[in-house]
Each structure stands twice: as C-alpha cells, then as structure tokens.
C-alpha cells in the first residue's frame, strides 16, 4: 500500500513541479492532485474526517514531498487535522495550518459572540491556509482566513513563515474548545516526526543531484566521480542520508508505540547533525554552482538547514537526551536506551 501511495504522489510531483523561482508560492495544481489522490487527510481516521492510514504512511508521503521540494502545506494540514480530530472538533475542508501561542485572548463581543485576539509569528503557510488552528494553553480555536491579517515572511528556503494578527476574530462555530491533556506536547512530538520525514526526502534529493553532477562534471579529461576523494565524499553523503531516513522512521515507530520523549530527542539530534553534513558535502561536490539561484540543489539544502532548526534547536534536543540519561542513572540507563 505504501509503495502505491508514494508512487502516486511521486507521479503527481513529477507532473506538477514547484517553480524554483517562486518557492513561497503555493503549488495549487499539485495540491489539487494530492486531493484527488485522497492523501490530504492521511494519518487521521476516516470516522473523524480523515483519509485513514497511520503515521507510517504519512511519513512516507512526506518523504516524497520533501524530496521534490513541494510547495504545499501538506504537513501543516495533516497536523492540524490530527489535532482537531484528537480534540473532537470537526475538521474543516481545505488547507490548514497550526499556531501555538501563550497569549490568545478570549473575550465576548458587544453582541455576545466569542472573539479571539493574538499575534502569531512565523506560522507556516499562514496566508495560503484557509483556517488556522490555535493552541494556547488550555484553549483551542479555529479561525478562518478572512478573520485575520497577514504579514508575509519566509524562512531561508523561501517557504512562507507568516505573522498572523487576530484582532477580535470570530472563531469557527462561535466558540473555543478545551485542549485535551497532553495534546500540546503530542503536537510538538508529531511535528518533529513530520519535519524529520521531510528532511529525509530533501537529503535524498541532495544525494541524487550530487551523484548525477559528479558523473557529468569533467576535470582533467574525466568525470570527477572517478577521483577517489569525490568518491569518499559521495559515500559519506550516502551514509548520512541513511541516518536521516533511519531517524525519521525510528522516531515514527517510537511515537506510535507511546512514550517517545527520549527517542524523539535522540532522533532529532541524529537527523540534524546528518542534515548539516549532507548539505556541506553536497555543496562541496557541486562546487560554487550549487549555491547559485540557477541550480536546484539550493532547494534541498536550504530546506535542510531551515527544517533542522525548527521546533527546537539541536542544543535543546541534545540537552534533553543528556538530562534523561542522567535522570535514569547507571541502573536504568540500559532500559532507557533499549526502549528508545
């Protein structure tokens, strides 16, 4: 099933490639194709408004989209739908995104309606989304696009990371909902897994581009992949790509099993370090051409750098791993490692 699913998504990506000159612009034809395939609600049970499937299928599809630098809010929509399903809230149709805020103000307007206000920075695909799901402490709100103002911004890969201003916005359904216990932390963990899946795909594309370039670039009368030093770089690059893929898969399995705090943090550290090495080696193989606007390598490596630093830094995840290892102590450290 996964092979058929990823094959269909890869075919859609091939038919509707993202314009490298406008990476912040929604790839609407690809989004429609994904909708027709029926994967937009992947990872959410059908009885809750999703398309069925589990985290494993969702991670596999995100790997393909990451590999193709797809300019669509697939991860964000899937994450928002999952949050709403877990909270027992009807999932609206269309593109969704998620914002976490500690400053959402809820008030009752002069006509008795509920109004919410907050400034939400760096929201992925905030302008293209049709609804934003706001998690704020114990309060959850769903706000439609016509209820908030947008200031556009981008991450280093050119992906939208907009600031949304909700000023007396009327939430969907005229109400807010309570956040189930543990949902905010679970959202952070699920987001970590989704970003690692995207990173694994981007790393794979960086490897493919590097192998192809090295086979074509001629130096001293032969292709540069005939030189041992370049062969070593490509071999190291391939091994780090495998680390990215393994980290995403192991994190997905750990999250599906249950308590995954230690395993997820360890996977994030491994994936982030591997992503940095992949980007460095890919650019070394390509030489200066890889940094230019004209070359598509930047679409993969800038995403690796951007996604690596989202949802917590490497230092934060490494500190968590170290602290949990210390807390476990010599008598329980082995069990902690085995469970991860």
């Amino acid at each position: 099933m996964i092979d058929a699913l990823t094959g269909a998504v890869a075919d859609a990506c091939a038919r509707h490639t993202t314009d490298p000159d406008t990476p912040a612009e929604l790839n609407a034809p690809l989004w429609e194709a994904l909708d027709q395939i029926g994967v937009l609600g992947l990872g959410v049970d059908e009885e809750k408004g999703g398309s069925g499937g589990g985290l494993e299928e969702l991670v596999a599809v995100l790997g393909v989209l990451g590999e193709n630098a797809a300019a669509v809010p697939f991860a964000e929509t899937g994450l928002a739908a999952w949050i709403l399903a877990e909270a027992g809230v009807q999932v609206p149709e269309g593109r969704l995104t998620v914002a976490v805020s500690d400053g959402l103000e809820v008030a009752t307007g002069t006509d008795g309606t509920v109004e919410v206000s907050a400034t939400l920075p760096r929201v992925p695909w905030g302008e293209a989304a049709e609804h934003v799901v706001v998690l704020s402490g114990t309060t959850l709100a769903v706000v439609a696009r016509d209820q908030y103002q947008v200031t556009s911004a981008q991450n280093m890969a050119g992906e939208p990371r907009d600031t949304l201003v909700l000023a007396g916005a009327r939430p969907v359904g005229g109400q807010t909902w309570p956040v189930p216990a543990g949902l905010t932390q679970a959202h952070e963990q699920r987001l970590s897994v989704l970003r690692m899946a995207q990173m694994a795909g981007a790393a794979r594309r960086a490897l493919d581009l590097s192998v192809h370039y090295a086979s074509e670039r001629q130096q001293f009368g032969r292709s540069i992949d005939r030189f041992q030093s370049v062969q070593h770089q490509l071999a190291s690059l391939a091994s780090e790509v495998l680390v990215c893929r393994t980290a995403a898969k192991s994190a997905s399995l750990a999250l599906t099993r249950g308590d995954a705090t230690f395993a997820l943090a360890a996977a994030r550290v491994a994936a982030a370090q591997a992503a940095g090495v992949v980007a460095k080696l890919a650019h070394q193989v390509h030489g200066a051409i890889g940094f230019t606007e004209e070359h598509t390598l930047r679409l993969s490596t800038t995403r690796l750098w951007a996604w690596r630093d989202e949802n917590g830094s490497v230092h934060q995840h490494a500190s968590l791993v170290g602290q949990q290892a210390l807390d476990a102590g010599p008598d329980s450290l082995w069990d902690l490692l085995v469970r991860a």
Side-chain angles (χ1 to χ4, degrees):
M1 174 185 174
I2 289 181
D3 289 343
L5 198 61
T6 54
V9 173
D11 179 65
C13 290
R15 288 185 285 111
H16 307 292
T17 56
T18 294
D19 185 351
D21 295 328
T22 57
E25 187 174 319
L26 174 73
N27 188 337
L30 176 58
W31 182 261
E32 292 174 6
L34 295 175
D35 189 17
Q36 291 173 358
I37 295 171
V39 295
L40 295 183
L42 201 59
V44 178
D45 293 340
E46 293 184 37
E47 59 268 24
K48 295 182 178 179
S51 304
L55 190 57
E56 183 180 8
E57 288 80 9
L58 183 58
V59 164
V61 169
L62 273 170
V64 175
L65 295 175
E67 184 174 2
N68 288 277
V72 289
F74 182 84
E76 291 75 15
T77 297
L79 184 62
W82 175 81
I83 289 171
L84 295 177
E86 291 296 305
V89 179
Q90 180 68 34
V91 180
E93 294 184 355
R95 297 180 296 275
L96 309 175
T97 190
V98 182
V100 177
S101 170
D102 57 2
L104 183 71
E105 298 178 359
V106 182
T108 302
T110 54
D111 58 354
T113 59
V114 174
E115 297 178 348
V116 295
S117 300
T119 298
L120 310 171
R122 299 190 64 75
V123 179
W125 295 98
E127 184 161 18
E130 293 164 76
H131 292 84
V132 57
V133 176
V134 184
L135 285 172
S136 181
T138 59
T139 302
L140 183 154
V142 183
V143 181
R145 174 64 185 86
D146 61 2
Q147 291 292 309
Y148 58 82
Q149 301 297 315
V150 177
T151 300
S152 298
Q154 300 171 359
N155 63 14
M156 72 165 63
E159 293 183 306
R161 293 294 184 268
D162 304 319
T163 296
L164 313 187
V165 178
L166 285 60
R170 297 185 175 184
V172 171
Q175 67 175 105
T176 62
W177 290 270
V179 176
L183 183 59
T184 300
Q185 181 185 11
H187 148 262
E188 296 290 341
Q189 293 180 335
R190 196 173 181 89
L191 177 58
S192 282
V193 173
L194 301 188
R195 287 287 183 252
M196 279 189 277
Q198 292 175 296
M199 289 165 61
R204 191 161 59 241
R205 173 53 59 90
L207 172 62
D208 291 344
L209 290 172
S210 299
V211 170
H212 180 73
Y213 181 81
S215 68
E216 288 192 331
R217 179 77 168 90
Q218 297 284 318
Q219 192 72 14
F220 303 114
R222 54 181 176 170
S223 61
I224 62 173
D225 64 358
R226 302 285 299 276
F227 293 95
Q228 193 173 46
S229 61
V230 176
Q231 292 171 354
H232 285 166
Q233 288 178 316
L234 292 175
S236 298
L237 181 50
S239 66
E240 298 299 333
V241 171
L242 183 59
V243 171
C244 286
R245 189 178 69 178
T246 303
K249 188 170 184 177
S250 63
S252 168
L253 293 174
L255 189 58
T256 302
R257 284 199 305 267
D259 181 16
T261 303
F262 181 82
L264 279 176
R268 280 300 299 262
V269 173
Q273 291 180 333
V277 176
V278 167
K280 181 182 72 174
L281 289 175
H283 280 293
Q284 286 179 345
V285 170
H286 279 78
I289 191 68
F291 284 100
T292 62
E293 289 286 330
E294 290 75 16
H295 203 284
T296 57
L297 177 63
R298 63 179 173 82
L299 298 178
S300 300
T301 54
T302 54
R303 280 169 169 74
L304 285 173
W305 288 320
W307 292 335
R308 177 186 62 181
D309 296 329
E310 288 188 348
N311 196 32
S313 66
V314 178
H315 176 76
Q316 290 173 314
H317 292 298
S319 297
L320 179 59
V321 171
Q323 188 59 56
Q324 290 217 349
L326 289 173
D327 293 342
D331 295 334
S332 301
L333 181 58
W334 178 252
D335 291 337
L336 180 66
L337 296 174
V338 170
R339 287 199 304 272

